[in-house]
Amino acid sequence: MKTIVCGAGINGISTALWLARSGVEVTLIDQKGPAAGTSFGNAGVLSSGSVIPITVPGITRKAPAMLMSANAPLFVRWSYLPRLIPFFRHYLRHATWQHVQYYAKNMYPLISDSLNQHIELAKGTKAEKLISDHDYCYAYSSEDSYNSDIWAWELRKSLGVTFSVISGEEFSKSDPLYREKFCKVV
């Protein structure tokens, strides 16, 4: 059997590898070349607990301050803002508790075994040595910032995500660089 897989991002590469391992002769094509158009925002982190969308209630109150801060995770080219308004209007309609729960409930089954899937996918390739299992931590600088996020941890727990909450002081015992930096670490 022969097949063509279009797109050499993570989905195309994964599909091509699994097909080839099943005995299918695969031709992989991509408009720009392997991984040229892939996402790089997650920096290679496979986090099965990352099920909370960006569009949460309250984002519309926080977004203007984020746009003004150089340290915030939101950046917009001001000249492009008028073209983004229709997108933002549609996007922000999802900033409801109902959508957050819907998203998390449907995302978790897709990513809960992402580490194991990547380990299996990389077996026998040069990428095998690049995948490792490490803790992924969320750090909170104050009790208030942690408390404002408890709802997200309760939602994760209801889906089966396991985690522990430790004090910043306890965390600094394993990594002294962060002494007195955090109040809570999950």
Side-chain angles (χ1 to χ4, degrees):
M1 185 183 289
K2 295 180 181 182
T3 191
I4 296 173
V5 174
C6 297
I10 186 63
N11 292 324
I13 294 288
S14 300
T15 300
L17 274 170
W18 287 121
L19 286 169
R21 289 177 183 172
S22 298
V24 176
E25 185 180 322
V26 179
T27 301
L28 183 62
I29 59 173
D30 191 272
Q31 185 177 11
K32 296 179 182 177
T38 62
S39 169
F40 55 87
N42 68 353
V45 173
L46 304 170
S47 174
S48 61
S50 295
V51 296
I52 307 299
I54 294 169
T55 50
V56 296
I59 188 75
T60 53
R61 285 189 312 273
K62 294 177 184 177
M66 285 188 221
L67 285 171
M68 299 307 201
S69 170
N71 296 323
L74 183 58
F75 170 80
V76 173
R77 285 196 178 112
W78 291 106
S79 63
Y80 199 71
L81 187 60
R83 288 187 254 172
L84 286 175
I85 290 172
F87 165 78
F88 282 138
R89 192 174 303 135
H90 177 76
Y91 184 71
L92 293 174
R93 284 188 205 144
H94 296 290
T96 66
W97 292 116
Q98 181 180 1
H99 183 264
V100 168
Q101 291 171 343
Y102 170 83
Y103 179 95
K105 181 182 172 188
N106 288 283
M107 185 59 74
Y108 187 65
L110 293 174
I111 66 172
S112 62
D113 66 344
S114 59
L115 177 62
N116 292 334
Q117 289 292 330
H118 279 75
I119 289 169
E120 285 299 313
L121 185 64
K123 275 187 181 169
T125 73
K126 292 178 183 179
E128 189 172 19
K129 66 178 182 241
L130 300 175
I131 301 173
S132 57
D133 188 1
H134 296 282
D135 288 336
Y136 186 83
C137 299
Y138 290 80
Y140 295 91
S141 59
S142 70
E143 194 73 35
D144 286 343
S145 64
Y146 169 72
N147 288 336
S148 71
D149 225 13
I150 285 178
W151 65 268
W153 293 107
E154 291 301 319
L155 179 54
R156 287 179 180 102
K157 185 191 287 183
S158 75
L159 297 170
V161 176
T162 57
F163 56 88
S164 58
V165 181
I166 61 173
S167 69
E169 184 180 320
E170 189 177 344
F171 182 73
S172 70
K173 290 176 186 173
S174 63
D175 197 338
L177 176 68
Y178 295 105
R179 180 166 280 117
E180 298 181 17
K181 300 278 188 204
F182 305 125
C183 173
K184 297 263 196 241
V185 178
V186 185

